[in-house]
Amino acid sequence: MRVWMDLARWLSAHGSSTFADCDSEMLYAYATHLREAGGSRSSVAQALLALTRLWAFDELTARPAGIGRPPWDEHGADDYLPAASTSGGENATDAIAEATMGPLLVWAMRMVDDLADDVLTAWAEHQKVLAVAKTTTPTGTGLAALDAYTKLLGATGASVPVIRYRGRTVLARQYIAALTGASMDQVNQYAKRGLTRAARLRPGPCPLRTPIRGTVHGQPWREAVNLDESPP
């Protein structure tokens, strides 16, 4: 985004107020400006890559601004970069080729278009689980449900829900509270009675109930989103 803003300021200084005026010739002039401004080869390469992304995104939008195709996207970036340093340890690797970057950009945009709804819905359920666990008060019904749940885990040898927390695998107490309707105090009591030990011996996922609608090659992109995989 900073590179795009720098381009906009440069265009404004040269009498242009819209990206529609930024054709390939103007981009060539801007690349020359970057090369001569004294930046390192790697920083100029990153700037040219960001400008290529700007053009690619513009091509894919419903209402393109009309920015021209960068000449380095067609002919390679080497001629638009400062000479590689032999003493300063600069990275002399050329910018990623368009044949590689193009599919990556399309893939990234498809990730957003196809999977964003699942991720956002999982985040909403994650928040709901935390809220329910925090506000649920102790009741006999919740305690009975928790007791039945833990006995079922023990009888069947099923895995116990865990999450990753500060680099450690721990019992998913909030998840179990929301799942059974028990309070956090009740879950903590059962954790001391053996549920924590069972979690160490038989760790398992804590899948949210969010329906998975996004697909990759016609198949769901995953079975479920776990509680600790959605944004906190």
PDB file of all heavy atoms in Angstrom, residues 62 128 136-137 166 183 214:
ATOM      1  N   ALA A  62     -14.068  -5.170 -10.966  1.00  0.00           N
ATOM      2  CA  ALA A  62     -15.229  -4.941 -11.831  1.00  0.00           C
ATOM      3  C   ALA A  62     -15.175  -3.567 -12.503  1.00  0.00           C
ATOM      4  O   ALA A  62     -15.708  -3.385 -13.600  1.00  0.00           O
ATOM      5  CB  ALA A  62     -16.511  -5.068 -11.017  1.00  0.00           C
ATOM      6  N   LYS A 128     -18.753 -16.548  20.208  1.00  0.00           N
ATOM      7  CA  LYS A 128     -19.937 -17.023  20.924  1.00  0.00           C
ATOM      8  C   LYS A 128     -19.558 -18.056  21.972  1.00  0.00           C
ATOM      9  O   LYS A 128     -20.071 -18.035  23.102  1.00  0.00           O
ATOM     10  CB  LYS A 128     -20.938 -17.621  19.939  1.00  0.00           C
ATOM     11  CG  LYS A 128     -22.228 -18.107  20.589  1.00  0.00           C
ATOM     12  CD  LYS A 128     -23.191 -18.647  19.542  1.00  0.00           C
ATOM     13  CE  LYS A 128     -24.469 -19.169  20.204  1.00  0.00           C
ATOM     14  NZ  LYS A 128     -25.426 -19.707  19.190  1.00  0.00           N
ATOM     15  N   THR A 136     -21.998 -18.417  31.610  1.00  0.00           N
ATOM     16  CA  THR A 136     -22.827 -19.506  32.111  1.00  0.00           C
ATOM     17  C   THR A 136     -22.630 -19.681  33.617  1.00  0.00           C
ATOM     18  O   THR A 136     -21.506 -19.756  34.104  1.00  0.00           O
ATOM     19  CB  THR A 136     -22.482 -20.833  31.394  1.00  0.00           C
ATOM     20  OG1 THR A 136     -22.776 -20.693  30.013  1.00  0.00           O
ATOM     21  CG2 THR A 136     -23.309 -21.982  31.962  1.00  0.00           C
ATOM     22  N   THR A 137     -23.734 -19.741  34.353  1.00  0.00           N
ATOM     23  CA  THR A 137     -23.687 -19.938  35.800  1.00  0.00           C
ATOM     24  C   THR A 137     -23.870 -21.421  36.131  1.00  0.00           C
ATOM     25  O   THR A 137     -24.460 -22.171  35.343  1.00  0.00           O
ATOM     26  CB  THR A 137     -24.787 -19.121  36.491  1.00  0.00           C
ATOM     27  OG1 THR A 137     -26.055 -19.498  35.940  1.00  0.00           O
ATOM     28  CG2 THR A 137     -24.573 -17.627  36.268  1.00  0.00           C
ATOM     29  N   ARG A 166      -0.219 -20.483  24.312  1.00  0.00           N
ATOM     30  CA  ARG A 166       1.125 -20.040  24.697  1.00  0.00           C
ATOM     31  C   ARG A 166       2.154 -21.153  24.509  1.00  0.00           C
ATOM     32  O   ARG A 166       2.995 -21.391  25.366  1.00  0.00           O
ATOM     33  CB  ARG A 166       1.132 -19.539  26.137  1.00  0.00           C
ATOM     34  CG  ARG A 166       0.307 -18.268  26.334  1.00  0.00           C
ATOM     35  CD  ARG A 166       0.399 -17.743  27.749  1.00  0.00           C
ATOM     36  NE  ARG A 166      -0.346 -16.498  27.890  1.00  0.00           N
ATOM     37  CZ  ARG A 166      -0.475 -15.825  29.035  1.00  0.00           C
ATOM     38  NH1 ARG A 166       0.120 -16.290  30.146  1.00  0.00           N
ATOM     39  NH2 ARG A 166      -1.169 -14.708  29.081  1.00  0.00           N
ATOM     40  N   SER A 183     -20.679 -24.580  33.806  1.00  0.00           N
ATOM     41  CA  SER A 183     -19.936 -23.351  34.061  1.00  0.00           C
ATOM     42  C   SER A 183     -18.445 -23.638  34.032  1.00  0.00           C
ATOM     43  O   SER A 183     -18.007 -24.794  34.112  1.00  0.00           O
ATOM     44  CB  SER A 183     -20.326 -22.774  35.423  1.00  0.00           C
ATOM     45  OG  SER A 183     -19.824 -23.611  36.457  1.00  0.00           O
ATOM     46  N   GLY A 214     -16.941 -23.534   1.602  1.00  0.00           N
ATOM     47  CA  GLY A 214     -15.883 -23.306   0.610  1.00  0.00           C
ATOM     48  C   GLY A 214     -15.328 -24.624   0.098  1.00  0.00           C
ATOM     49  O   GLY A 214     -15.222 -25.605   0.841  1.00  0.00           O
TER      50      GLY A 214
END
